Amino acid sequence: MAGLTRFELAWRDRPQEEAAHFNPAFCGELLVRMINEFQKRAGGAMPFAYAFVALPLVLHPGARKALPGRANTAFASWAGENTTTLSTLPDRTLRLRPVTREALLFLAQLDAIKVSSDGVMVGKRPIKLGTKPSATTDEVDAIRRAAGLLGRWFGNQSDSAAVLQTLGVRI
């Protein structure tokens, strides 16, 4: 086990809170929420790179609280007002890349998403998101809402490269 990163550890060996927030099923649900809302808003596949900024934005409490309340908020002005929050986003994106990759692979294996040259979209066997789980917390509900908001908000943006550049992220 020596030399393994925390994301290479067996699930039983990971810290409980990390295992709860970073497990592929939960992270996959968040990505599907974002993809669903993006597709509704934009009418097409979500740029693949957006998946890698989703989790760092919605799982981090400070970043999640900094997100706008509405999807029609001007992206550039929001970014200008949240430079402190965005200054740590590139590092969080790199650190969470294995988590995002694992969630995407999990979803792809279930046929819940489809990845193509156009981006990522809902697959042949989409995850049903309509019912609220019986066991949940206010924080988890806020994370789920933030993932949907992010999909709608990014779906309003015309240039994914400009969004990523504004966020300071290179994928």
Side-chain angles (χ1 to χ4, degrees):
M1 285 248 225
L4 294 178
T5 68
R6 64 184 349 141
F7 299 118
E8 294 172 321
L9 292 173
W11 283 99
R12 68 181 176 281
D13 297 331
R14 295 182 190 192
Q16 186 176 9
E17 186 175 342
E18 286 184 16
H21 278 107
F22 297 151
N23 78 70
F26 179 62
C27 291
E29 175 195 346
L30 299 175
L31 292 173
V32 167
R33 287 180 185 281
M34 183 180 180
I35 294 163
N36 276 336
E37 294 298 327
F38 183 94
Q39 280 187 233
K40 287 178 193 174
R41 189 61 57 110
M46 183 181 83
F48 190 68
Y50 282 174
F52 287 90
V53 296
L55 299 180
L57 284 170
V58 302
L59 291 175
H60 185 272
R64 184 174 59 251
K65 288 175 185 160
L67 290 174
R70 299 169 52 115
N72 63 355
T73 300
F75 185 76
S77 62
W78 174 86
E81 294 167 4
N82 290 280
T83 56
T84 304
T85 301
L86 293 178
S87 68
T88 59
L89 183 63
D91 184 55
R92 284 197 319 274
T93 301
L94 284 174
R95 291 179 186 272
L96 289 178
R97 190 171 48 186
V99 175
T100 303
R101 192 177 302 129
E102 191 173 25
L104 289 167
L105 288 170
F106 176 77
L107 293 170
Q109 287 174 343
L110 295 174
D111 270 343
I113 62 168
K114 178 186 173 193
V115 179
S116 72
S117 60
D118 295 331
V120 60
M121 60 189 73
V122 175
K124 294 177 187 174
R125 298 173 55 204
I127 294 175
K128 294 182 175 105
L129 302 171
T131 58
K132 183 177 177 179
S134 57
T136 188
T137 65
D138 291 341
E139 181 182 21
V140 169
D141 289 342
I143 292 169
R144 287 181 172 118
R145 281 191 304 275
L149 169 71
L150 205 57
R152 291 188 302 279
W153 195 32
F154 283 6
N156 283 335
Q157 309 308 312
S158 60
D159 184 6
S160 61
V163 169
L164 296 171
Q165 182 178 3
T166 302
L167 294 174
V169 175
R170 289 184 296 179
I171 306 267

